[in-house]
Amino acid sequence: MSSAPCNALVRAASGLLVPRTVIETGPGLSVDPPADGECPQTWTLSVDASWAQGPWAGVGTHDLDGADRVYEEITEVAPMVIPRSGVWEINYAVRGGVQLPPNLVASQFVVAALFENGNLIVGQEVMVTGLSRGQATGATAGAQNTATGAFLRGFTAGDEITLHAYPIGQLGISQIVSNGDGRTRLMAHWIAPLGDTPS
């Protein structure tokens, strides 16, 4: 038998053993096999890191006019549909605004969170902005701020991610805003197949 480095045959008591290579890949992975007769054989592994985005549909303002701590969907932000099962890095930015009425002791806040298929994803809520006045004097007060959130989570292809928010305070105004001065948006980046675990 040849002792050349690329001779993979093995002489055994029962005869010659011919190795066979089987490569299986999960979602987002692909393999290019070597050319016939190539020595050494080179197998190329490629990763397709898929991504998704749910942008604000145009420019505008969403008034949060519901009850305190009762979520409502921010319908101006398009739902983000997960295109591939796996572990995803989710990032979102939320621009919020609040206004207080003049000459009143008042507080006004905006809280935002993401929902998966209509259910709150617990643990990633963000306090977007808030303003309090402790004395009943002064003109109308207003504030704006942008909050960001990021987390890793496993999703199944077809899962729908939506942005929700609620106000705290009923005397003033709470809003979600998006325009050229600051955007509200959702983003997701596929990083691993389902079953992958933290190291």
Side-chain angles (χ1 to χ4, degrees), residues 16 48-49 61 63 71 99 107 111 125 158 176:
L16 293 179
D48 176 13
T61 300
D63 290 332
Y71 281 108
Q99 298 177 35
S107 297
V111 173
E125 304 89 339
I176 302 294

Side-chain angles (χ1 to χ4, degrees), residues 31-192:
V31 175
D32 294 321
D36 289 342
E38 185 177 9
C39 178
Q41 291 188 337
T42 301
W43 297 76
T44 302
L45 179 65
S46 302
V47 178
D48 176 13
S50 181
W51 61 278
Q53 186 166 339
W56 185 284
V59 174
T61 300
H62 182 112
D63 290 332
L64 299 170
D65 51 12
D68 283 4
R69 295 182 172 85
V70 176
Y71 281 108
E72 60 185 85
E73 183 177 350
I74 310 305
T75 54
E76 292 83 354
V77 177
M80 186 171 61
V81 179
I82 297 296
R84 173 191 299 159
S85 297
V87 180
W88 288 77
E89 179 185 20
I90 308 295
N91 291 277
Y92 62 107
V94 184
R95 178 180 168 195
V98 293
Q99 298 177 35
L100 297 180
N103 302 318
L104 286 177
V105 174
S107 297
Q108 204 71 35
F109 297 88
V110 173
V111 173
L114 298 185
F115 279 52
E116 174 189 358
N117 301 325
N119 299 302
L120 173 67
I121 302 176
V122 177
Q124 48 65 52
E125 304 89 339
V126 292
M127 171 66 72
V128 179
T129 190
L131 184 64
S132 296
R133 182 192 294 123
Q135 297 181 354
T137 59
T140 301
Q144 290 196 12
N145 210 345
T146 299
T148 59
F151 60 96
L152 301 177
R153 183 179 171 90
F155 292 98
T156 301
D159 283 345
E160 188 172 270
I161 312 302
T162 51
L163 177 65
H164 290 65
Y166 64 63
I168 303 175
Q170 296 294 315
L171 297 178
I173 297 173
S174 292
Q175 300 172 320
I176 302 294
V177 184
S178 188
N179 59 36
D181 295 325
R183 301 292 182 180
T184 293
R185 63 190 182 277
L186 312 179
M187 295 160 289
H189 186 201
W190 184 92
I191 60 172

